[in-house]
Amino acid sequence: MTIESLGSEALDRIAAAGDAATLEALRVEYLGKQGSISSLLKTLGKMSPEERQAEGPKIHALRQDVTDALAARKDAIDSAALEARLAAETLDLTLPAPAAPKGSVHPVSQVMDELAEIFADMGFAVATGPEIEDDWHNFTALNMAETHPARAMHDTFYFPDVIDGEGHTASSSEAVGEKKRMLLRTHTSPVQIRSMIAQGAPIRIIAPGRVYRSDSDATHTPMFHQVEGLVIDKGIHLGHLKWTLETFLKAFFERDDIVLRLRPSYFPFTEPSVEVDVGWQSVNGRRVLGGDGDAPGHGWMELLGSGMVNARVLEFAGLDPAEWQGFAFGIGVDRIAMLKYGMDDLRAFFDGDIRWLRHYGFSAFDQPTLSAGVGAKGGMGA
Ligand code: DAH
């Protein structure tokens, strides 16, 4: 093959190469170590000086032409690839945003936020405590001694191990010093004890959170939510309790005609103890909170437990009952959520069914505020 025909063949093939891989193969074929142009260059050594003078410039020119053609073609291929990519990855910023996956705020979380909002307005702080408690905080300090029958009313989940006096986990038989049985707290009341011990008096807190009891049916789940309230100060009496609960319930249910009835009751940690009923009335065959519970067609519904903090409890928490008094209350958060937002099966709260969550859940933008009415303006499904 003549230098001229080799050159025109090379340039034709380079011009026809459609992609970078083909082009690289051609480079190797012509200019690689074993390439045909490289071999031609090697023949220069064996030529006579005259021959070399005639052939040398042609071969060098051929090599240069092919090298240039390869570079030019490579540029063309690269920029075509870039153009194609730019065209494929075009983003039209004027299009509407794609649908984002939508989460919802669980009614329990929403109600807890509502509680915090209402009570914050009355000067209450939010306190928390551990869900894994010891029996001293959960029972003993709340005036429920080892043998107290009220302990049996709580279907408690106990842990098999105990914590001994040195803070070590041990099986009951090998524990040393004062032993603590660990359990899942059966109510939020131990947060009363922890708060009094940690911050002393005066005190004004609510403590919302998870509690656990071995119980399960349409209105009971092994895990549920309570909110505890505690006020300790000087000269606190039952009137303060009633006003606080009434103010809270009016704000929570967004009705001014909420009426309460305090019924004598018994809790080991309060003395006196009262159960608080809320009046309801029948509207189109449905029970609606509000109205006079004693009138015909009206009635009372038990809502929560409360009372004046038992002097023994104050002592356990290191406060002098001659100086400090207070009231406490405990409410089922799930229960008041059901009453307010109309769910009838507690178990569905914890099934994680996306349809239920879409229907009863709240938008993250529905922040409860007192000025707008703490009741969110309807769930996501509304
Ligand atoms: N701890 C009680 C329970 O879980 C509820 C309760 C009743 C809490 C009276 C209180 C109270 O603070 O004063 O059943």
Side-chain angles (χ1 to χ4, degrees):
M1 200 188 281
T2 63
I3 289 176
E4 289 74 22
S5 59
L6 179 63
S8 63
E9 180 214 75
L11 296 182
D12 285 349
R13 291 177 68 196
I14 289 167
D19 58 71
T22 309
L23 203 62
E24 175 61 10
L26 289 173
R27 188 191 66 75
V28 171
E29 184 178 333
Y30 291 110
L31 301 176
K33 265 199 185 120
Q34 322 282 327
S36 46
I37 294 176
S38 309
S39 311
L40 267 180
L41 281 165
K42 279 176 206 152
T43 62
L44 287 174
K46 289 175 208 133
M47 289 179 190
S48 64
E50 298 74 31
E51 255 183 327
R52 195 182 301 136
Q53 211 161 33
E55 295 301 309
K58 286 194 218 163
I59 298 173
H60 281 294
L62 170 65
R63 188 178 65 166
Q64 194 57 49
D65 288 350
V66 169
T67 304
D68 291 349
L70 282 167
R73 187 70 198 133
K74 184 164 185 334
D75 277 354
I77 287 173
D78 284 353
S79 60
L82 180 62
E83 288 301 325
R85 206 173 143 203
L86 285 172
E89 293 179 8
T90 290
L91 189 62
D92 183 351
L93 294 176
T94 65
L95 287 175
K102 226 190 266 172
S104 61
V105 175
H106 195 283
V108 168
S109 303
Q110 186 76 14
V111 163
M112 285 188 177
D113 287 350
E114 293 176 17
L115 292 167
E117 174 71 11
I118 295 168
F119 278 102
D121 194 53
M122 293 192 268
F124 285 65
V126 173
T128 55
E131 289 168 32
I132 297 175
E133 251 309 356
D134 56 63
D135 60 353
W136 189 82
H137 287 91
N138 195 81
F139 292 128
T140 312
L142 288 162
N143 198 30
M144 297 155 86
E146 201 73 49
T147 53
H148 199 292
R151 284 201 185 203
M153 282 167 24
H154 296 284
D155 303 302
T156 311
F157 291 111
Y158 283 100
F159 286 85
D161 292 332
V162 298
I163 305 292
D164 69 17
E166 291 171 0
H168 301 128
T169 308
S171 72
S172 329
S173 54
E174 63 199 26
V176 294
E178 198 190 326
K179 288 177 253 176
K180 286 181 189 167
R181 278 190 87 181
M182 301 306 287
L183 46 84
L184 292 177
R185 67 178 180 193
T186 58
H187 50 180
T188 43
S189 304
V191 185
Q192 289 186 33
I193 306 297
R194 290 185 174 276
S195 301
M196 285 188 273
I197 290 175
Q199 68 179 81
I203 219 168
R204 233 188 277 185
I205 52 141
I206 56 163
R210 293 191 177 118
V211 301
Y212 302 83
R213 287 180 208 175
S214 177
D215 207 350
S216 195
D217 60 37
T219 51
H220 297 88
T221 47
M223 185 281 298
F224 58 106
H225 300 84
Q226 287 188 335
V227 60
E228 195 78 11
L230 176 70
V231 168
I232 304 283
D233 212 320
K234 293 181 178 172
I236 296 291
H237 54 72
L238 269 183
H240 295 122
L241 167 66
K242 191 174 184 200
W243 179 87
T244 303
L245 290 175
E246 220 167 64
T247 306
F248 153 62
L249 292 168
K250 283 178 179 172
F252 182 76
F253 289 110
E254 295 178 84
R255 295 186 71 104
D256 279 332
D257 61 347
I258 296 282
V259 285
L260 297 185
R261 182 175 73 175
L262 270 49
R263 237 175 338 102
S265 183
Y266 175 74
F267 301 103
F269 30 90
T270 44
E271 178 58 38
S273 302
V274 289
E275 244 156 346
V276 178
D277 300 336
V278 60
W280 55 264
Q281 54 199 316
S282 201
V283 177
N284 300 328
R286 293 190 61 217
R287 286 183 181 192
V288 174
L289 294 191
D292 174 3
D294 284 327
H298 295 224
W300 296 102
M301 178 188 302
E302 186 191 320
L303 201 60
L304 60 101
S306 61
M308 300 304 294
V309 178
N310 193 306
R312 299 260 298 150
V313 172
L314 293 173
E315 281 167 359
F316 273 119
L319 297 180
D320 178 1
E323 193 182 351
W324 302 101
Q325 304 78 45
F327 64 78
F329 57 87
I331 316 173
V333 173
D334 315 285
R335 173 115 196 284
I336 58 172
M338 289 167 86
L339 278 173
K340 181 166 178 178
Y341 293 113
M343 305 85 159
D344 56 10
D345 192 335
L346 177 63
R347 289 167 296 195
F349 273 56
F350 312 117
D351 282 345
D353 184 327
I354 195 80
R355 294 162 301 178
W356 190 94
L357 292 168
R358 279 208 188 105
H359 184 77
Y360 287 111
F362 294 86
S363 159
F365 297 110
D366 255 332
Q367 292 284 333
T369 59
L370 279 180
S371 54
V374 284
K377 293 289 161 271
M380 307 252 305

Short mmCIF file of all heavy atoms in Angstrom, two decimals, residues 75-128:
data_model
loop_
_atom_site.label_atom_id
_atom_site.label_comp_id
_atom_site.label_asym_id
_atom_site.label_seq_id
_atom_site.Cartn_x
_atom_site.Cartn_y
_atom_site.Cartn_z
N ASP A 75 -12.55 15.26 19.58
CA ASP A 75 -13.26 16.46 20.03
C ASP A 75 -14.72 16.43 19.58
O ASP A 75 -15.62 16.73 20.36
CB ASP A 75 -12.59 17.71 19.45
CG ASP A 75 -11.39 18.13 20.29
OD1 ASP A 75 -11.20 17.51 21.36
OD2 ASP A 75 -10.67 19.07 19.87
N ALA A 76 -14.89 16.09 18.30
CA ALA A 76 -16.26 16.09 17.76
C ALA A 76 -17.13 15.08 18.50
O ALA A 76 -18.28 15.37 18.88
CB ALA A 76 -16.22 15.79 16.26
N ILE A 77 -16.58 13.87 18.70
CA ILE A 77 -17.35 12.83 19.38
C ILE A 77 -17.67 13.26 20.82
O ILE A 77 -18.81 13.13 21.29
CB ILE A 77 -16.59 11.48 19.37
CG1 ILE A 77 -16.63 10.89 17.95
CG2 ILE A 77 -17.19 10.50 20.37
CD1 ILE A 77 -15.77 9.65 17.77
N ASP A 78 -16.67 13.80 21.53
CA ASP A 78 -16.89 14.24 22.93
C ASP A 78 -17.96 15.32 23.01
O ASP A 78 -18.83 15.28 23.88
CB ASP A 78 -15.58 14.77 23.53
CG ASP A 78 -14.63 13.64 23.89
OD1 ASP A 78 -15.06 12.46 23.79
OD2 ASP A 78 -13.48 13.91 24.28
N SER A 79 -17.88 16.29 22.10
CA SER A 79 -18.86 17.36 22.24
C SER A 79 -20.26 16.89 21.84
O SER A 79 -21.25 17.34 22.40
CB SER A 79 -18.43 18.64 21.52
OG SER A 79 -18.27 18.36 20.17
N ALA A 80 -20.32 15.94 20.90
CA ALA A 80 -21.63 15.38 20.55
C ALA A 80 -22.22 14.65 21.77
O ALA A 80 -23.41 14.76 22.08
CB ALA A 80 -21.52 14.43 19.37
N ALA A 81 -21.34 13.91 22.49
CA ALA A 81 -21.81 13.18 23.67
C ALA A 81 -22.31 14.16 24.74
O ALA A 81 -23.33 13.94 25.38
CB ALA A 81 -20.69 12.30 24.23
N LEU A 82 -21.57 15.26 24.89
CA LEU A 82 -21.98 16.25 25.88
C LEU A 82 -23.33 16.87 25.50
O LEU A 82 -24.21 17.02 26.34
CB LEU A 82 -20.90 17.34 25.98
CG LEU A 82 -21.20 18.46 26.98
CD1 LEU A 82 -21.30 17.91 28.40
CD2 LEU A 82 -20.13 19.56 26.92
N GLU A 83 -23.47 17.20 24.20
CA GLU A 83 -24.74 17.76 23.74
C GLU A 83 -25.89 16.80 24.03
O GLU A 83 -26.95 17.20 24.51
CB GLU A 83 -24.70 18.02 22.21
CG GLU A 83 -23.83 19.20 21.78
CD GLU A 83 -24.26 20.51 22.42
OE1 GLU A 83 -25.48 20.71 22.62
OE2 GLU A 83 -23.38 21.33 22.77
N ALA A 84 -25.65 15.52 23.75
CA ALA A 84 -26.70 14.53 23.94
C ALA A 84 -27.08 14.46 25.42
O ALA A 84 -28.26 14.38 25.79
CB ALA A 84 -26.24 13.16 23.45
N ARG A 85 -26.04 14.52 26.27
CA ARG A 85 -26.31 14.43 27.69
C ARG A 85 -27.07 15.66 28.19
O ARG A 85 -28.02 15.55 28.97
CB ARG A 85 -24.98 14.31 28.44
CG ARG A 85 -25.14 13.63 29.75
CD ARG A 85 -23.83 13.36 30.41
NE ARG A 85 -24.04 13.55 31.84
CZ ARG A 85 -23.07 13.84 32.69
NH1 ARG A 85 -21.83 13.98 32.27
NH2 ARG A 85 -23.35 13.98 33.96
N LEU A 86 -26.65 16.81 27.71
CA LEU A 86 -27.34 18.03 28.12
C LEU A 86 -28.80 18.00 27.68
O LEU A 86 -29.69 18.40 28.43
CB LEU A 86 -26.64 19.25 27.51
CG LEU A 86 -25.32 19.65 28.19
CD1 LEU A 86 -24.62 20.76 27.39
CD2 LEU A 86 -25.58 20.11 29.62
N ALA A 87 -29.02 17.47 26.47
CA ALA A 87 -30.40 17.41 25.98
C ALA A 87 -31.21 16.44 26.84
O ALA A 87 -32.36 16.71 27.21
CB ALA A 87 -30.41 16.99 24.52
N ALA A 88 -30.59 15.29 27.18
CA ALA A 88 -31.32 14.26 27.93
C ALA A 88 -31.59 14.71 29.37
O ALA A 88 -32.61 14.36 29.96
CB ALA A 88 -30.54 12.96 27.92
N GLU A 89 -30.66 15.48 29.93
CA GLU A 89 -30.81 15.83 31.35
C GLU A 89 -31.44 17.20 31.56
O GLU A 89 -31.34 17.78 32.61
CB GLU A 89 -29.45 15.74 32.04
CG GLU A 89 -28.94 14.32 32.11
CD GLU A 89 -27.58 14.21 32.77
OE1 GLU A 89 -27.09 15.21 33.31
OE2 GLU A 89 -27.01 13.10 32.73
N THR A 90 -32.09 17.69 30.57
CA THR A 90 -32.72 19.00 30.67
C THR A 90 -33.71 19.03 31.83
O THR A 90 -34.46 18.09 32.05
CB THR A 90 -33.49 19.31 29.38
OG1 THR A 90 -32.55 19.53 28.34
CG2 THR A 90 -34.31 20.58 29.55
N LEU A 91 -33.67 20.09 32.61
CA LEU A 91 -34.60 20.23 33.71
C LEU A 91 -35.40 21.50 33.47
O LEU A 91 -34.82 22.58 33.39
CB LEU A 91 -33.80 20.35 35.02
CG LEU A 91 -34.59 20.31 36.30
CD1 LEU A 91 -35.31 18.97 36.44
CD2 LEU A 91 -33.68 20.52 37.49
N ASP A 92 -36.70 21.34 33.34
CA ASP A 92 -37.53 22.52 33.11
C ASP A 92 -37.98 23.07 34.45
O ASP A 92 -38.84 22.51 35.12
CB ASP A 92 -38.75 22.13 32.26
CG ASP A 92 -39.60 23.35 31.94
OD1 ASP A 92 -39.33 24.43 32.51
OD2 ASP A 92 -40.52 23.22 31.11
N LEU A 93 -37.34 24.18 34.83
CA LEU A 93 -37.61 24.72 36.17
C LEU A 93 -39.00 25.33 36.28
O LEU A 93 -39.45 25.67 37.36
CB LEU A 93 -36.56 25.76 36.53
CG LEU A 93 -35.15 25.18 36.70
CD1 LEU A 93 -34.15 26.30 36.96
CD2 LEU A 93 -35.11 24.18 37.84
N THR A 94 -39.69 25.46 35.17
CA THR A 94 -41.04 26.04 35.23
C THR A 94 -42.09 24.97 35.48
O THR A 94 -43.26 25.28 35.71
CB THR A 94 -41.38 26.79 33.94
OG1 THR A 94 -41.43 25.84 32.86
CG2 THR A 94 -40.35 27.86 33.63
N LEU A 95 -41.69 23.67 35.43
CA LEU A 95 -42.67 22.61 35.69
C LEU A 95 -43.02 22.60 37.18
O LEU A 95 -42.21 22.99 38.01
CB LEU A 95 -42.08 21.24 35.31
CG LEU A 95 -41.96 20.96 33.81
CD1 LEU A 95 -41.25 19.62 33.61
CD2 LEU A 95 -43.34 20.93 33.17
N PRO A 96 -44.23 22.13 37.54
CA PRO A 96 -44.56 22.02 38.96
C PRO A 96 -43.66 20.98 39.64
O PRO A 96 -43.19 20.05 38.98
CB PRO A 96 -46.02 21.56 38.97
CG PRO A 96 -46.33 21.12 37.58
CD PRO A 96 -45.33 21.72 36.65
N ALA A 97 -43.43 21.14 40.94
CA ALA A 97 -42.58 20.21 41.67
C ALA A 97 -43.21 18.82 41.65
O ALA A 97 -44.44 18.70 41.67
CB ALA A 97 -42.42 20.69 43.11
N PRO A 98 -42.39 17.77 41.59
CA PRO A 98 -42.97 16.43 41.64
C PRO A 98 -43.63 16.17 42.99
O PRO A 98 -43.27 16.81 43.98
CB PRO A 98 -41.76 15.51 41.44
CG PRO A 98 -40.57 16.35 41.79
CD PRO A 98 -40.93 17.77 41.54
N ALA A 99 -44.62 15.28 43.02
CA ALA A 99 -45.32 15.01 44.27
C ALA A 99 -44.33 14.43 45.28
O ALA A 99 -43.70 13.42 45.02
CB ALA A 99 -46.45 14.02 44.02
N ALA A 100 -44.20 15.10 46.44
CA ALA A 100 -43.30 14.60 47.47
C ALA A 100 -44.05 13.55 48.28
O ALA A 100 -45.27 13.64 48.42
CB ALA A 100 -42.88 15.75 48.38
N PRO A 101 -43.34 12.55 48.81
CA PRO A 101 -44.04 11.60 49.67
C PRO A 101 -44.60 12.36 50.87
O PRO A 101 -43.91 13.19 51.46
CB PRO A 101 -42.94 10.62 50.10
CG PRO A 101 -41.65 11.26 49.72
CD PRO A 101 -41.92 12.30 48.69
N LYS A 102 -45.87 12.10 51.19
CA LYS A 102 -46.52 12.91 52.21
C LYS A 102 -46.65 12.14 53.52
O LYS A 102 -47.28 11.10 53.55
CB LYS A 102 -47.91 13.30 51.70
CG LYS A 102 -48.24 14.77 51.91
CD LYS A 102 -49.70 15.03 51.62
CE LYS A 102 -49.92 15.50 50.18
NZ LYS A 102 -51.33 15.57 49.82
N GLY A 103 -46.06 12.64 54.58
CA GLY A 103 -46.24 12.03 55.89
C GLY A 103 -47.34 12.77 56.61
O GLY A 103 -47.83 13.78 56.14
N SER A 104 -47.76 12.24 57.76
CA SER A 104 -48.75 12.97 58.54
C SER A 104 -48.39 12.87 60.01
O SER A 104 -47.68 11.97 60.43
CB SER A 104 -50.15 12.41 58.29
OG SER A 104 -50.23 11.06 58.69
N VAL A 105 -48.87 13.84 60.76
CA VAL A 105 -48.60 13.85 62.19
C VAL A 105 -49.67 13.00 62.88
O VAL A 105 -50.87 13.20 62.68
CB VAL A 105 -48.62 15.30 62.73
CG1 VAL A 105 -48.46 15.31 64.24
CG2 VAL A 105 -47.53 16.13 62.06
N HIS A 106 -49.24 12.02 63.66
CA HIS A 106 -50.17 11.12 64.34
C HIS A 106 -51.05 11.90 65.33
O HIS A 106 -50.55 12.82 65.98
CB HIS A 106 -49.37 10.05 65.09
CG HIS A 106 -50.18 8.87 65.52
ND1 HIS A 106 -51.01 8.91 66.60
CD2 HIS A 106 -50.29 7.63 64.99
CE1 HIS A 106 -51.60 7.72 66.73
NE2 HIS A 106 -51.18 6.93 65.76
N PRO A 107 -52.34 11.54 65.42
CA PRO A 107 -53.22 12.27 66.34
C PRO A 107 -52.68 12.33 67.77
O PRO A 107 -52.88 13.33 68.47
CB PRO A 107 -54.53 11.48 66.31
CG PRO A 107 -54.50 10.73 65.03
CD PRO A 107 -53.07 10.53 64.64
N VAL A 108 -51.97 11.29 68.21
CA VAL A 108 -51.42 11.32 69.57
C VAL A 108 -50.38 12.43 69.69
O VAL A 108 -50.37 13.19 70.67
CB VAL A 108 -50.80 9.95 69.97
CG1 VAL A 108 -50.00 10.08 71.25
CG2 VAL A 108 -51.89 8.91 70.13
N SER A 109 -49.53 12.55 68.67
CA SER A 109 -48.52 13.62 68.70
C SER A 109 -49.20 14.98 68.65
O SER A 109 -48.80 15.92 69.35
CB SER A 109 -47.58 13.50 67.50
OG SER A 109 -46.97 12.23 67.48
N GLN A 110 -50.23 15.06 67.80
CA GLN A 110 -50.94 16.33 67.66
C GLN A 110 -51.57 16.74 68.99
O GLN A 110 -51.45 17.88 69.44
CB GLN A 110 -52.03 16.20 66.57
CG GLN A 110 -52.74 17.50 66.23
CD GLN A 110 -51.90 18.44 65.37
OE1 GLN A 110 -50.88 18.02 64.80
NE2 GLN A 110 -52.30 19.68 65.28
N VAL A 111 -52.23 15.77 69.65
CA VAL A 111 -52.89 16.08 70.91
C VAL A 111 -51.85 16.45 71.98
O VAL A 111 -52.06 17.36 72.78
CB VAL A 111 -53.79 14.90 71.35
CG1 VAL A 111 -54.16 15.01 72.83
CG2 VAL A 111 -55.04 14.85 70.49
N MET A 112 -50.71 15.76 71.97
CA MET A 112 -49.67 16.13 72.94
C MET A 112 -49.18 17.55 72.70
O MET A 112 -48.91 18.30 73.66
CB MET A 112 -48.51 15.14 72.87
CG MET A 112 -48.83 13.81 73.52
SD MET A 112 -47.34 12.82 73.60
CE MET A 112 -47.92 11.37 74.46
N ASP A 113 -49.08 17.94 71.44
CA ASP A 113 -48.70 19.33 71.14
C ASP A 113 -49.78 20.31 71.61
O ASP A 113 -49.48 21.39 72.10
CB ASP A 113 -48.45 19.52 69.64
CG ASP A 113 -47.15 18.87 69.18
OD1 ASP A 113 -46.36 18.45 70.06
OD2 ASP A 113 -46.93 18.76 67.96
N GLU A 114 -51.03 19.90 71.44
CA GLU A 114 -52.12 20.75 71.90
C GLU A 114 -52.06 20.93 73.42
O GLU A 114 -52.24 22.03 73.94
CB GLU A 114 -53.48 20.15 71.50
CG GLU A 114 -53.72 20.12 69.99
CD GLU A 114 -55.03 19.42 69.61
OE1 GLU A 114 -55.90 19.25 70.47
OE2 GLU A 114 -55.16 19.05 68.44
N LEU A 115 -51.81 19.80 74.12
CA LEU A 115 -51.71 19.86 75.58
C LEU A 115 -50.59 20.81 76.01
O LEU A 115 -50.78 21.66 76.90
CB LEU A 115 -51.39 18.46 76.14
CG LEU A 115 -52.48 17.41 76.02
CD1 LEU A 115 -51.92 16.03 76.32
CD2 LEU A 115 -53.61 17.74 76.97
N ALA A 116 -49.44 20.67 75.36
CA ALA A 116 -48.29 21.50 75.73
C ALA A 116 -48.62 22.97 75.51
O ALA A 116 -48.28 23.83 76.32
CB ALA A 116 -47.06 21.09 74.93
N GLU A 117 -49.31 23.24 74.40
CA GLU A 117 -49.66 24.62 74.06
C GLU A 117 -50.60 25.22 75.11
O GLU A 117 -50.41 26.33 75.59
CB GLU A 117 -50.30 24.64 72.66
CG GLU A 117 -50.85 25.98 72.21
CD GLU A 117 -49.77 27.01 71.91
OE1 GLU A 117 -48.59 26.63 71.85
OE2 GLU A 117 -50.13 28.19 71.74
N ILE A 118 -51.63 24.44 75.48
CA ILE A 118 -52.62 24.95 76.44
C ILE A 118 -51.98 25.15 77.81
O ILE A 118 -52.15 26.20 78.45
CB ILE A 118 -53.82 23.99 76.55
CG1 ILE A 118 -54.56 23.92 75.20
CG2 ILE A 118 -54.76 24.43 77.67
CD1 ILE A 118 -55.58 22.79 75.13
N PHE A 119 -51.24 24.13 78.26
CA PHE A 119 -50.68 24.23 79.61
C PHE A 119 -49.52 25.23 79.68
O PHE A 119 -49.31 25.84 80.73
CB PHE A 119 -50.27 22.85 80.13
CG PHE A 119 -51.44 22.09 80.68
CD1 PHE A 119 -52.05 21.08 79.95
CD2 PHE A 119 -51.97 22.40 81.92
CE1 PHE A 119 -53.14 20.38 80.45
CE2 PHE A 119 -53.06 21.73 82.44
CZ PHE A 119 -53.65 20.72 81.70
N ALA A 120 -48.79 25.40 78.59
CA ALA A 120 -47.72 26.40 78.59
C ALA A 120 -48.32 27.77 78.88
O ALA A 120 -47.73 28.59 79.59
CB ALA A 120 -46.98 26.40 77.26
N ASP A 121 -49.51 28.01 78.34
CA ASP A 121 -50.18 29.29 78.53
C ASP A 121 -50.53 29.51 79.99
O ASP A 121 -50.70 30.64 80.44
CB ASP A 121 -51.43 29.34 77.66
CG ASP A 121 -51.98 30.75 77.54
OD1 ASP A 121 -51.19 31.65 77.18
OD2 ASP A 121 -53.18 30.96 77.82
N MET A 122 -50.68 28.39 80.74
CA MET A 122 -50.98 28.52 82.17
C MET A 122 -49.70 28.40 83.00
O MET A 122 -49.76 28.21 84.22
CB MET A 122 -51.98 27.43 82.59
CG MET A 122 -53.35 27.62 81.96
SD MET A 122 -54.60 26.54 82.74
CE MET A 122 -54.53 25.10 81.70
N GLY A 123 -48.56 28.46 82.36
CA GLY A 123 -47.30 28.47 83.10
C GLY A 123 -46.72 27.10 83.43
O GLY A 123 -45.87 26.99 84.31
N PHE A 124 -47.20 26.06 82.73
CA PHE A 124 -46.67 24.72 82.98
C PHE A 124 -45.51 24.43 82.04
O PHE A 124 -45.56 24.75 80.86
CB PHE A 124 -47.75 23.64 82.73
CG PHE A 124 -48.79 23.55 83.80
CD1 PHE A 124 -49.67 24.60 84.04
CD2 PHE A 124 -48.93 22.38 84.56
CE1 PHE A 124 -50.66 24.51 85.02
CE2 PHE A 124 -49.90 22.28 85.54
CZ PHE A 124 -50.77 23.34 85.78
N ALA A 125 -44.48 23.76 82.57
CA ALA A 125 -43.39 23.26 81.73
C ALA A 125 -43.66 21.80 81.40
O ALA A 125 -44.44 21.15 82.09
CB ALA A 125 -42.06 23.40 82.45
N VAL A 126 -43.03 21.30 80.35
CA VAL A 126 -43.18 19.89 79.99
C VAL A 126 -42.02 19.10 80.59
O VAL A 126 -40.85 19.44 80.36
CB VAL A 126 -43.22 19.69 78.46
CG1 VAL A 126 -43.20 18.21 78.10
CG2 VAL A 126 -44.46 20.37 77.87
N ALA A 127 -42.34 18.08 81.39
CA ALA A 127 -41.30 17.23 82.00
C ALA A 127 -41.37 15.84 81.40
O ALA A 127 -42.41 15.43 80.88
CB ALA A 127 -41.52 17.16 83.51
N THR A 128 -40.25 15.12 81.45
CA THR A 128 -40.25 13.75 80.96
C THR A 128 -39.55 12.85 81.97
O THR A 128 -38.84 13.31 82.85
CB THR A 128 -39.48 13.62 79.62
OG1 THR A 128 -38.16 14.15 79.80
CG2 THR A 128 -40.18 14.36 78.50
#
